Amino acid sequence: MTDTPPLLTVRDLTVKYDAVVALDAISLGIRQGESVALIGANGAGKSTLLRTISGLIRPASGDISYNGQSIRQSSPQAILRGGIAHCPEGRRLFGALTVEENLRLGACTRDDAAAVRRDVERVEEMFPIIAERRKQAAGTLSGGEQQMVALARAMMSSPRLLMLDEPSLGVAPLVTKLIFAQLAEMKRSGTTILLVEQNVKLALALSDRAYVLRTGRIALEGEAHALADDPRVFHAYLGVNE
């Protein structure tokens, strides 16, 4: 895999909120089929990086290329249509719409109706609660159920690259286990994953490689299995114990 050209390349990316530098000359790459984790303390810039890749934030400088083409100036719709799906922190479901309607919105850039129906069936098999709650308003679901719907909605775009922001946040341990089991299955089937996750051990167990962000910069990077045993991750950067 090390000889495979990156599917996504971020080069010298700087993002500012007014005078505040949120990302400072970030560079990283993700190859097709990899799972890569972004870990770091709150405020390190992880969510900002995902939002910039998905076109929701414009960088001050630097570039983002996907499949060999720059997407720095592309709209969020074009980026989604190109194969990058973003499952944001906080789920961001349309609460007044049903679960089924939220899933259909996830496929809004697709015109292959038969394949969309098959994908609805697939996500219902992955998360049976979705089939049970199909006609229920998404806003009435529990936090864990909403997270499953949010992940399923992102999957409905049939992405090559799936970006997830804190999928275990506010979710019960059993639901977290189910979500990560399905992410592992997606990885085995070839989906490329970029994961932001505060549960460091879960994130590194799923991932091939990881980047540690600290105050908008990459402070450490390497193979996930090596970083899992690196005390600098747990003490210097995250301030938690193993």
Side-chain angles (χ1 to χ4, degrees), residues 99-100 103 123-136 141-150 152 175 178-179:
V99 168
E100 184 176 23
L103 294 182
V123 298
E124 288 181 343
E125 287 180 4
M126 293 174 68
F127 302 113
I129 195 69
I130 289 177
E132 295 176 21
R133 303 282 196 269
R134 184 185 296 119
K135 300 301 182 182
Q136 188 170 331
L141 302 178
S142 69
E145 291 167 347
Q146 288 190 26
Q147 186 63 65
M148 287 186 277
V149 174
V175 178
L178 173 60
I179 288 171

Side-chain angles (χ1 to χ4, degrees), residues 63-79:
D63 195 25
I64 306 166
S65 62
Y66 170 71
N67 206 25
Q69 301 292 322
S70 176
I71 59 171
R72 178 184 169 181
Q73 298 298 327
S74 298
S75 68
Q77 294 85 354
I79 291 169

Side-chain angles (χ1 to χ4, degrees), residues 216-234:
R217 296 181 179 182
I218 293 176
L220 191 64
E221 62 182 278
E223 300 294 320
H225 67 85
L227 291 178
D229 297 321
D230 192 326
R232 292 176 296 174
V233 174
F234 293 92

Side-chain angles (χ1 to χ4, degrees), residues 6-10 28-38 49-50 52-54 64-67 71 79-87 151 154-164 183 186 190-196 209:
L7 177 64
L8 180 82
T9 302
V10 174
L28 56 84
I30 306 170
R31 296 179 179 85
Q32 177 67 46
E34 274 193 309
S35 178
V36 173
L38 297 174
L49 179 56
L50 297 195
T52 306
I53 293 170
S54 62
I64 306 166
S65 62
Y66 170 71
N67 206 25
I71 59 171
I79 291 169
L80 176 62
R81 192 175 295 111
I84 299 177
H86 182 186
C87 186
L151 175 55
M155 293 168 57
M156 286 299 300
S157 67
S158 191
R160 288 183 68 188
L161 171 61
L162 176 61
M163 303 193 301
L164 301 113
L183 291 177
M186 292 178 66
T191 302
T192 307
I193 296 172
L194 180 56
L195 172 67
V196 168
R209 296 185 298 111

Side-chain angles (χ1 to χ4, degrees), residues 4-16:
T4 306
L7 177 64
L8 180 82
T9 302
V10 174
R11 185 177 298 109
D12 296 326
L13 193 72
T14 295
V15 175
K16 297 180 180 180

